[in-house]
Amino acid sequence: MKLAGGQFLRLPLLILGCVASSLLGAVAIGVAPPFLLWPRFALMLAFHILGAASFGIEMLLILAVGLLQDILLGNVIGSGVLALLAGHALFRGTIASLKKSGVPGYFLLFVPFLIVVLTIEWVLSSLAGLMILPTDGLIWQIVVTSVIYLAVMSIWSGYRHWRRSRYSARARLS
Amino acid sequence: MTYADDRSRPGFWRIVRRGAIAGVVCIGAAAYLLSAVGDRRIDALRSTVTDFFEPALTTLSGPMRSGNSALSDVGGFLDVYEHNRKLREDIVSLSKWREIALRLEAENAELRSLNRVTLAPRFDYITAQVIGNSDGTFNHSITINAGRSQGVRAGTVVMDGTSVIGRVISLGENAARVLLITDSASRIPAQLEPDETRALLIGDNTALPKLKFISKPGAVQSGQRVVTSNHGGVFPKGLPLGLVSDVVEGAARIKLTANLRQLEFVRLVIERQDLTIDPDAVLVIEEPRHKKPNADKAQTADEME
């Protein structure tokens, strides 16, 4: 079995995407917690990457996304990596099978993936701090990230549909 | 290429993949354990990475802040009538305080001139920009663009201009992480004014941190001012924290005076180590002008008062 060259060509782009989404999740917008709840963009990207990458590349990406998120967001370092690993182990087969499904299919799988990843992070953070952290933040983060994910996916799907119809119209004309 | 079962892959790649999984699990677990016990190497890693991304965060935070302030402006425009009414109320109440402040300032100036004592400034201040923040899920912290090279030290107190918002917990060359006082890991020695009742301000990831271990629990009342105390030596004494908003048995909730809804710049309070009295200052004790015989003792008592 040969390894597709595209996998390695895509790797720098994927790492760049991981870094950009982690930075976007940690950038200041002029409001500080507790009045701020900013979505986890990196988890949205990780969800899609886990379904597309293989041959150990996904492990590299899990490490990059998890560590960067933990460092930039001030979480317990390592908790994000372990949570993403658990999410990957539980959902990897299902994510891969979603390739042909539309936005609702992705959304219905993203929500449980998010719940699993964030709950594990919550448990690990609570254990590290030797206290039970409030669940309000956890619940709101799941809601906010899910809603933003749905919006992003709808926009992306609409854009792809528009592009496809434009190309087919051109092809018909030519 | 999408996922395939490990069994369908050639032996070499299967080993690579399994090795990668084992490696990531080991790295993740080791990092977690070291971070949980507060290992210095993990702190150093965090500082280095934050330092590395500081320019990117500073660049990205500009347009994000502009977008947010544009949205706030739209919101403010819609609430203009309500804001106007509130401002009128504030003007009325503040004019009273202005009179009091002016009177106290004059009195203070008079006393200073009588003593002719000039104290060197107790604090140095550094202004920094907020370039990053946590997402508010598990911890409440911000990243600022000032670090060791600007004179910031670990534990430096951070204010929003008027009130304390937190302290520096992680320090890089040009960036630092600030733990906000609302974070569940935050513990600040505080005291209530005016009777200096001691207490501990404990964050719990909500907007209203708790005041616990109050030395005189019965004496706490709503609206009392809470300031830092210097017990433990981390915080200087008397920096404003907030007002008591709610008193329950043995504990109280504090409404912070810091405005965390609008946090673009912060002020870092560096306590000066070389605190001295100005060498030119002279303490002058005026001689009594009209000394009456047999009334020395009474005169001294009056002066003391």
Side-chain angles (χ1 to χ4, degrees):
Chain A
M1 187 177 175
K2 284 182 182 173
L3 182 72
Q7 280 292 314
F8 286 112
L9 288 175
R10 248 178 9 182
L11 185 63
L13 207 65
L14 287 174
I15 291 178
L16 199 71
C18 292
V19 172
S21 59
S22 299
L23 283 174
L24 193 62
V27 77
I29 59 161
V31 185
F35 302 105
L36 168 82
L37 203 72
W38 197 237
R40 292 274 184 102
F41 293 103
L43 288 185
M44 297 180 198
L45 192 75
F47 177 72
H48 283 270
I49 287 171
L50 294 182
S54 67
F55 282 113
I57 290 170
E58 81 275 23
M59 287 296 134
L60 190 71
L61 295 172
I62 282 175
L63 193 67
V65 170
L67 282 180
L68 259 180
Q69 267 208 135
D70 292 343
I71 290 171
L72 294 174
L73 297 178
N75 293 340
V76 181
I77 296 178
S79 61
V81 179
L82 295 174
L84 270 175
L85 272 173
H88 170 253
L90 286 172
F91 290 93
R92 64 172 186 166
T94 333
I95 297 170
S97 68
L98 277 177
K99 217 174 177 186
K100 296 279 176 187
S101 73
V103 176
Y106 272 102
F107 179 71
L108 287 175
L109 194 65
F110 178 71
V111 175
F113 170 78
L114 192 66
I115 291 171
V116 166
V117 170
L118 288 177
T119 307
I120 291 170
E121 259 190 67
W122 176 79
V123 171
L124 291 172
S125 301
S126 296
L127 278 172
L130 297 175
M131 67 176 99
I132 297 169
L133 290 173
T135 47
D136 308 20
L138 172 72
I139 293 163
W140 279 111
Q141 182 60 256
I142 290 167
V143 172
V144 168
T145 308
S146 303
V147 170
I148 299 287
Y149 176 78
L150 188 61
V152 170
M153 282 298 287
S154 302
I155 292 167
W156 176 243
S157 163
Y159 168 72
R160 284 182 72 181
H161 182 73
W162 171 77
R163 208 174 61 168
R164 211 177 298 134
S165 58
R166 208 170 135 220
Y167 278 135
S168 57
R170 267 190 195 173
R172 257 185 273 127
L173 280 172
S174 62
Chain B
M1 184 188 281
T2 56
Y3 273 103
D5 195 2
D6 270 0
R7 279 167 295 184
S8 66
R9 291 180 178 169
F12 173 72
W13 290 112
R14 202 160 58 210
I15 292 165
V16 167
R17 191 166 185 282
R18 285 181 181 176
I21 293 172
V24 172
V25 170
C26 289
I27 293 171
Y32 173 74
L33 288 172
L34 289 173
S35 184
V37 298
D39 191 87
R40 281 186 184 179
R41 283 165 291 189
I42 291 290
D43 275 347
L45 172 74
R46 199 189 284 275
S47 309
T48 311
V49 174
T50 312
D51 256 351
F52 181 77
F53 286 112
E54 185 262 328
L57 281 171
T58 308
T59 312
L60 273 174
S61 64
M64 295 297 281
R65 258 201 307 268
S66 305
N68 184 48
S69 68
L71 282 174
S72 311
D73 288 349
V74 171
F77 185 72
L78 295 173
D79 294 339
V80 73
Y81 177 77
E82 183 60 26
H83 278 167
N84 200 13
R85 191 188 60 75
K86 202 171 178 305
L87 282 172
R88 280 170 200 271
E89 282 176 13
D90 284 353
I91 288 168
V92 172
S93 67
L94 285 173
S95 58
K96 186 183 80 180
W97 284 107
R98 186 174 173 270
E99 290 305 315
I100 294 169
L102 286 172
R103 191 157 48 81
L104 288 171
E105 194 186 6
E107 192 182 314
N108 211 0
E110 199 180 334
L111 289 169
R112 274 172 201 262
S113 68
L114 278 174
N115 283 336
R116 286 166 64 186
V117 172
T118 317
L119 286 172
R122 197 177 150 200
F123 302 114
D124 285 332
Y125 296 99
I126 299 168
T127 303
Q129 196 181 5
V130 181
I131 55 166
N133 40 241
S134 64
D135 58 359
T137 316
F138 303 121
N139 72 83
H140 291 179
S141 62
I142 55 170
T143 310
I144 55 169
N145 66 348
R148 214 174 281 120
S149 56
Q150 283 80 26
V152 182
R153 292 188 288 263
T156 296
V157 178
V158 183
M159 299 174 79
D160 74 331
T162 54
S163 306
V164 175
I165 60 161
R167 67 190 160 87
V168 172
I169 50 161
S170 171
L171 197 59
E173 276 304 311
N174 295 305
R177 180 160 287 279
V178 177
L179 186 78
L180 298 178
I181 52 180
T182 53
D183 188 273
S184 55
S186 170
R187 305 281 184 274
I188 298 176
Q191 64 183 44
L192 287 119
E193 284 190 336
D195 57 348
E196 300 199 348
T197 304
R198 285 189 206 172
L200 196 65
L201 188 69
I202 299 172
D204 58 355
N205 283 10
T206 66
L208 303 170
K210 278 185 225 163
L211 201 63
K212 289 182 94 176
F213 307 109
I214 303 165
S215 61
K216 296 176 213 162
V220 183
Q221 289 174 341
S222 278
Q224 256 188 301
R225 198 161 168 262
V226 184
V227 295
T228 54
S229 83
N230 56 357
H231 295 110
V234 177
F235 286 84
K237 190 180 177 182
L239 300 176
L241 286 164
L243 302 169
V244 176
S245 74
D246 190 20
V247 185
V248 202
E249 281 176 25
R253 289 271 178 189
I254 303 301
K255 189 172 186 273
L256 300 175
T257 40
N259 186 6
L260 294 173
R261 287 178 199 271
Q262 212 164 26
L263 196 70
E264 290 184 29
F265 293 94
V266 291
R267 205 156 61 129
L268 291 103
V269 184
I270 314 280
E271 202 162 8
R272 286 177 73 141
Q273 304 295 319
D274 57 337
L275 191 65
T276 50
I277 291 176
D278 191 332
D280 297 334
V282 183
L283 186 63
V284 179
I285 301 167
E286 282 189 51
E287 288 293 320
R289 276 169 282 184
H290 307 291
K291 257 192 175 179
K292 288 178 189 173
N294 305 323
D296 280 355
K297 281 184 183 174
Q299 183 76 25
T300 318
D302 284 346
E303 278 170 18
M304 290 294 280
E305 277 178 18

